[in-house]
């Protein structure tokens, strides 16, 4: 599996070749739209939960992405044991 894995540096890809980055991003959005890829989201958090989420991620307890929705109201999404 790891032989087929490629790591993608988002910021450097954008800086080095914006046109290629745009094509890659459009392709990813098409794959998402077709549900050919399904990212695993571990937590959905509000902006005020970001500091707790950093602790959660640093403790390596997240199994998937932590996604911030700035407009979302604060919830107790981050387990107390993550701190």
């Amino acid at each position: 599996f790891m032989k087929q894995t490629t790591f993608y540096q988002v910021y450097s890809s954008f800086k080095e070749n914006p046109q290629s980055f745009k094509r890659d991003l459009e392709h990813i959005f098409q794959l998402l739209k077709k549900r050919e890829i399904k990212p695993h989201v571990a937590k959905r958090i509000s902006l005020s939960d970001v500091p707790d989420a950093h602790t959660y991620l640093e403790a390596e307890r997240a199994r998937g992405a932590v996604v911030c929705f700035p407009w979302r109201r604060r919830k107790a999404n981050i387990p107390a044991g993550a701190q």
Side-chain angles (χ1 to χ4, degrees):
F1 176 73
M2 289 304 288
K3 291 180 182 179
Q4 299 173 347
T5 302
T6 301
F7 293 95
Y8 189 86
Q9 299 296 327
V10 175
Y11 183 74
S12 60
S13 295
F14 172 73
K15 293 292 280 182
E16 292 170 11
N17 192 340
Q19 289 301 97
S20 179
F21 175 79
K22 182 180 177 186
R23 281 192 310 273
D24 289 348
L25 198 57
E26 288 170 350
H27 181 69
I28 289 170
F29 285 141
Q30 287 302 314
L31 293 173
L32 287 166
K33 186 177 181 179
K34 294 176 188 176
R35 299 192 184 275
E36 291 181 21
I37 58 173
K38 298 174 186 174
H40 180 75
V41 177
K43 298 284 178 193
R44 291 171 177 86
I45 63 169
S46 69
L47 191 59
S48 58
D49 287 324
V50 168
D52 292 335
H54 276 281
T55 304
Y56 178 68
L57 289 168
E58 289 168 0
E60 299 179 9
R61 294 194 174 121
R63 298 288 183 242
V66 175
V67 181
C68 180
F69 293 89
W71 56 88
R72 188 176 190 164
R73 290 187 176 180
R74 183 178 178 93
K75 277 189 168 180
N77 290 1
I78 307 299
Q83 295 183 19

